[in-house]
Structures are given as structure tokens and as C-alpha cells.
Amino acid sequence: MADHRADPPTDPPAARTLQDDLGLAVRLGAVRRVVSLVPSLTEAVAVTAPGLLVGATDWCTHPADLGVTRIGGTKNPDVPAIVALAPDLVLANEEENRLPDLDALRAAGLPVWVTGIRTLDEALASLDRMLGLACGLPRPAWLDEAEAAWRGVRPPARPLRAVVPVWRRPWMVLGRDTFAGDLLRRLGAPPLHADHPERYPAVPVGELNAARPDLVVLPDEPYRFTAEDGPEAFPGVPAALVSGRHLTWYGPSLAEAPTLLAAQLAARLPAVAGAEHGVANQDGDGDGNR
């Protein structure tokens, strides 16, 4: 006589307690629904595991076809809307998001994983932990590609002193301990204010010019600098307009960032950057295309 007993139910993954980048305890079970409050983390999860995300901010623009519930901005998320989505995990960043919002989400019973990233090495390690430990995903190929791409960056023969504004009215620049500053340092254009006590100091434009930088680097985010809005404030200084996403986002864009950013810097400094700021491939022949 056949045995018609039903198979025993599959037990859900055991709940576990992990520590995020800030050392805060995060209690997690199975992660099947994720809300991201950071554009770069949104892209990282969406590219790695399409369908895992159920909510993201209005500023999450990549991937271009991202179809999830929008839950407000990074600085003013709609907490009740996030709670209503019943996510298994909320992804945030210590710099991008406000502590009162994160505390409100925790108070509602939601696990919140906070990243803390100020260097390229921290970004690569943080993404690996977030995707693998927190989200339970296999390591994505794009993360290996990003690590390889940055290993191919040649150290410059002579670093160029760069002023790097991130805002206007008032003028604010990259200061100490910034992810974008670390990328520029690796590309041979360290921020002139990298030793400033503040991370994003407000510095009058006259003082910026008086420092006599070798170049001014103007990203298109968070402030959207353009050829008509920014370079005119630095007469006589070469101005490189660069992709803010590739300079400030930590995610899949890191794989192409060194080649793209190096080219954007070199476009304004052909005599110097063209010879000294290329990106070498794994064979060391100077061809950065992979």
C-alpha cells in the first residue's frame, strides 16, 4: 500500500543576528522583500537579484527599468509606506539617511542594515557583506569586475591638486574621509581639502581660487554642474565635468568608473593626464577596456 503521508514542511532559514557596518545588531530571517533608501544600494541589489526589491526612493534612477514602489526621498522617506510594504530588510547608509527615520523603522519592527563607506576598499567589502550576509545572495560577477577594474589603475607619476565642489550657493567641496575623494586620489587627482577637519567644508570661491589648484573637478551630482554652470567660477583653471554616479555611487557602476573618470579627467588635461592618468588592464598594456 502506497504511503500517502505529506512531506514535512520546509523549515524557514533560522533567524540570525548580524552586525552591519556600524556594528549595530540586525536580526534577520529569510530575506525575500527589500526596501532600499540609497540609490547605489538599490542598483546593487536590483542588478544582483531582480525581483528582490519592493521599494526604493524617488532618487533611485538605476536600473532605468526599475519598477518598485517609491517611498519618498533619502532624507524624507515615507515611514508608514515602508512599513506597509512589510520588507524583510531595509538598506540604508550612515551619510545618506537620517537617524530619526531609521530609528522609526526599527521601532516599527523592521530590520535596518546601515552601510558606512568612506573608501573604495570599504565599499567593496561592505557590498560583499550586504549582498552575501544580509541579503543571502551569491557574490555577483560585477563585484569581481569592479575589484579587477580598480586593481588596474596605475598610480600617477605626479598627483594633481584638485578642488572638488559638490554644491554651490554656498560653495562646498570634498574634504576629509570621503568615498569620492578616495577614488580621485587613486586616479591621481586628490582633493585639495582632503586634510580639512570637515568632510564637506563650505569654502568661499575666492579662497578656492587662491589655493591655485591644478584643476577643478565638477560632478553632475549632488549639484548638477554643467559646462555653463561651474567652470566660469574658476577662471584659468582646467575644469573636468565628471559623472557623479561613477564618482559617488558604490555599486555596479564601480566596474566602469576608473576608465570613465580617468577619461573625463584627461579630456581637460591632455598634456598631463593623458600620459599619467590612464587605467591599465590586467596585462599592463594601458588599455583600460575590458
Side-chain angles (χ1 to χ4, degrees), residues 11 18 44 70 81 101 104 143 183 185-186 194 200 252 264 266 289:
D11 291 333
L18 304 172
R70 300 295 175 161
D101 296 321
L143 190 52
L183 297 196
R185 179 187 62 79
R186 292 167 184 267
Y200 301 99
Q264 291 174 331
N289 296 323

Side-chain angles (χ1 to χ4, degrees), residues 1-254:
M1 183 175 178
D3 186 351
H4 294 289
R5 290 178 299 174
D7 293 333
T10 301
D11 291 333
R16 64 219 193 273
T17 299
L18 304 172
Q19 289 187 336
D20 64 14
D21 288 358
L22 305 189
L24 301 176
V26 184
R27 183 77 168 168
L28 291 171
V31 175
R32 299 187 180 93
R33 296 172 62 82
V34 172
V35 168
S36 171
L37 305 182
V38 185
S40 56
L41 300 184
T42 295
E43 183 180 19
V45 173
V47 170
T48 304
L52 189 61
L53 278 170
V54 295
T57 75
D58 298 337
W59 299 103
C60 294
T61 57
H62 289 75
D65 60 350
L66 183 66
V68 298
T69 299
R70 300 295 175 161
I71 47 77
T74 58
K75 298 292 192 293
N76 58 343
D78 186 337
V79 171
I82 296 171
V83 174
L85 288 171
D88 302 307
L89 179 62
V90 177
L91 301 177
N93 174 262
E94 64 167 343
E95 181 176 311
E96 193 76 15
N97 306 118
R98 300 185 320 126
L99 182 58
D101 296 321
L102 304 186
D103 284 344
L105 292 169
R106 294 186 182 104
L110 300 182
V112 178
W113 183 276
V114 184
T115 59
I117 295 171
R118 300 191 180 189
T119 68
L120 173 64
D121 290 341
E122 287 180 354
L124 297 172
S126 177
L127 289 166
D128 187 46
R129 293 184 69 247
M130 183 194 78
L131 295 170
L133 287 180
C135 296
L137 300 174
R139 182 179 169 90
W142 62 259
L143 190 52
D144 292 328
E145 293 166 3
E147 288 190 347
W150 282 97
R151 278 198 305 269
V153 174
R154 295 199 307 264
R158 180 176 68 85
L160 303 173
R161 299 165 67 251
V163 163
V164 191
V166 293
W167 202 255
R168 185 170 187 168
R169 295 183 289 273
W171 287 94
M172 299 178 70
V173 298
L174 291 184
R176 64 170 179 84
D177 298 335
T178 67
F179 171 74
D182 187 48
L183 297 196
L184 289 172
R185 179 187 62 79
R186 292 167 184 267
L187 293 170
L192 190 149
H193 297 85
D195 294 328
H196 196 282
E198 299 179 27
R199 298 185 65 217
Y200 301 99
V203 183
V205 70
E207 186 176 327
L208 296 178
N209 280 290
R212 303 184 65 180
D214 296 313
L215 76 161
V216 56
V217 178
L218 299 170
D220 59 11
E221 63 175 80
Y223 184 92
R224 187 173 182 80
F225 288 105
T226 67
E228 294 74 34
D229 184 0
E232 80 290 344
F234 301 89
V237 182
L241 297 169
V242 302
S243 166
R245 172 170 167 258
H246 291 87
L247 182 62
T248 64
W249 288 32
Y250 27 85
S253 59
L254 281 174

